[in-house]
Amino acid sequence: MSPDAKDQVLAQASAPAKVILIGEHAVVYGRPAIALPLPQLHARAEVLPGAGSLVIESRYPGADGLRETRVDLAEEGPPQALAVAARAALRHAGRTERTPWRLRVESEIPTGRGLGSSAAVAVALVRALGLAAEPDEAWDPQTVAELALEAERFVHGQASGIDPAVSAYQRPIHFQEGRARPLAVGADTHFLVADSGQHKGTAEMVAGLRARQAERPLTHGAWFDKVGRLAEDAVRALAEGSFRWLGQLMDSNHLLLQAMELSTPALDNLVAGARGAGARGAKLTGSGGGGAVIALVDTDRQADVAQALREAGAVSVLQLCIPATG
Ligand code: MEV
């Protein structure tokens, strides 16, 4: 193969980070939830010609710096999430590990911050492999999400599938029991997403809640039901562009997440800072125990709320605008 042919990209794809607007954790127990794509941060994958078998080279930020790995699917080795996602995609395409491709995966999404980094990596990888295998027909988002979920289950144990779904659909979704439905948005809706700088693994947070839920199933069941109702109300609030209502729903969700022991003093501080500076509502987003908060903020309050979040300890603050749907 000529040097040029070796570097010729056969297919490429990207997938965004995500935030959960309402319903994290309760969604693992079958209640509905709402997730939003966070398009400032992406994972990317590209497929190049290789030799002999599928090799995955990845580079992404881990808890302790940049993580670089190389996995050859034809070789024995410790199980790896990216290999799980790649095998799922190859199986769906009717191909084997002996497919001679080099898959390069990169991500700018920090891990352990509730921003769906592992799901976005898996979604980008599956989409790129799908395009390389079937260039004329991109796989639909539900299929991509289901294949990527195999890797999510490997990483997080009990994953609901909401993270790969929103990353694959790349638009706001209602999610329940494995099914995603794109949502109507009545007015441009502005959020700030603030990173506490603290890391916590989703698997650990999900397992901790599972243990507490097993001890007090009735109490947790009632909390999950309440969260599910907040999510259904939030579908209407978003569709109507009712920011006051949406903010109240976010605040109520944070109280329930606190009751479930998923918040931390640092996250509560960020939530209080945002509300004190005029956010309409704020809550932790993702698995909690660290990670990020999301605040609903009118555009004329954004600068003040962003400043308050930084003063309350945020290491980064991102703007997220969810545009009105047509
Ligand atoms: C993580 O972004 C959301 C959780 O509900 C886990 C899941 O749904 O798989 C905590």
Side-chain angles (χ1 to χ4, degrees):
M1 191 184 298
S2 72
D4 289 354
K6 170 168 97 6
D7 293 328
Q8 181 202 347
V9 176
L10 303 175
Q12 55 191 338
S14 67
K18 70 92 193 37
V19 281
I20 307 253
L21 179 58
I22 301 274
E24 49 275 272
H25 287 284
V27 68
V28 175
Y29 298 82
R31 291 0 178 243
I34 299 177
L36 312 172
L38 183 62
Q40 284 95 330
L41 296 171
H42 275 90
R44 293 183 183 81
E46 57 184 23
V47 182
L48 300 117
S53 54
L54 186 85
V55 171
I56 310 171
E57 296 161 2
S58 65
R59 261 167 84 88
Y60 52 91
D64 37 17
L66 195 67
R67 215 179 277 166
E68 292 191 70
T69 61
R70 183 182 181 281
V71 182
D72 184 334
L73 287 202
E75 286 171 9
E76 289 290 317
Q80 239 251 18
L82 294 184
V84 172
R87 285 201 173 92
L90 288 175
R91 191 189 63 230
H92 188 74
R95 290 175 176 263
T96 70
E97 295 161 359
R98 293 280 167 199
T99 304
W101 286 340
R102 197 153 65 93
L103 183 61
R104 281 208 299 238
V105 183
E106 286 193 4
S107 173
E108 59 200 16
I109 308 170
T111 53
R113 310 289 174 90
L115 300 179
S117 110
S118 58
V121 165
V123 165
L125 175 158
V126 167
R127 286 189 60 219
L129 282 178
L131 284 168
E134 294 169 35
D136 298 331
E137 204 184 309
W139 292 346
D140 64 85
Q142 183 73 27
T143 301
V144 171
E146 282 169 14
L147 295 170
L149 177 57
E150 295 191 26
E152 277 293 275
R153 291 222 166 98
F154 175 81
V155 180
H156 296 318
Q158 245 178 339
S160 67
I162 191 169
D163 290 9
V166 68
S167 190
Y169 277 83
Q170 307 192 33
R171 44 182 299 192
I173 57 162
H174 171 280
F175 183 91
Q176 188 170 20
E177 303 272 21
R179 301 300 301 179
R181 169 168 63 86
L183 283 178
V185 180
D188 292 355
T189 309
H190 298 270
F191 299 95
L192 292 175
V193 178
D195 184 348
S196 70
Q198 296 178 335
H199 299 253
K200 204 69 176 195
T202 299
E204 190 185 332
M205 297 309 291
V206 170
L209 180 60
R210 170 72 61 188
R212 296 190 290 281
Q213 180 266 348
E215 271 173 29
R216 289 179 289 137
L218 290 181
T219 306
H220 284 78
W223 284 338
F224 299 153
D225 286 343
K226 282 186 189 162
V227 173
R229 284 196 290 275
L230 294 176
E232 294 300 358
D233 276 355
V235 170
R236 284 187 285 278
L238 258 184
E240 289 169 16
S242 174
F243 299 144
R244 200 169 115 82
W245 189 16
L246 188 57
Q248 289 167 342
L249 296 169
M250 292 170 69
D251 288 347
S252 301
N253 195 177
H254 189 71
L255 283 174
L256 287 160
L257 290 161
Q258 283 177 316
M260 291 177 215
E261 299 176 38
L262 296 163
S263 194
T264 63
L267 293 174
D268 289 344
N269 225 9
L270 292 176
V271 164
R275 287 184 194 145
R280 288 186 178 265
K283 62 180 277 291
L284 75 83
T285 181
S287 49
V293 306
I294 179 168
L296 176 67
V297 189
D298 294 345
T299 41
D300 60 347
R301 305 293 313 159
Q302 292 233 336
D304 288 350
V305 176
Q307 175 68 19
L309 283 164
R310 284 194 199 92
E311 281 165 13
V315 296
S316 79
V317 180
L318 292 176
Q319 290 183 351
L320 170 62
C321 173
I322 300 296
T325 47

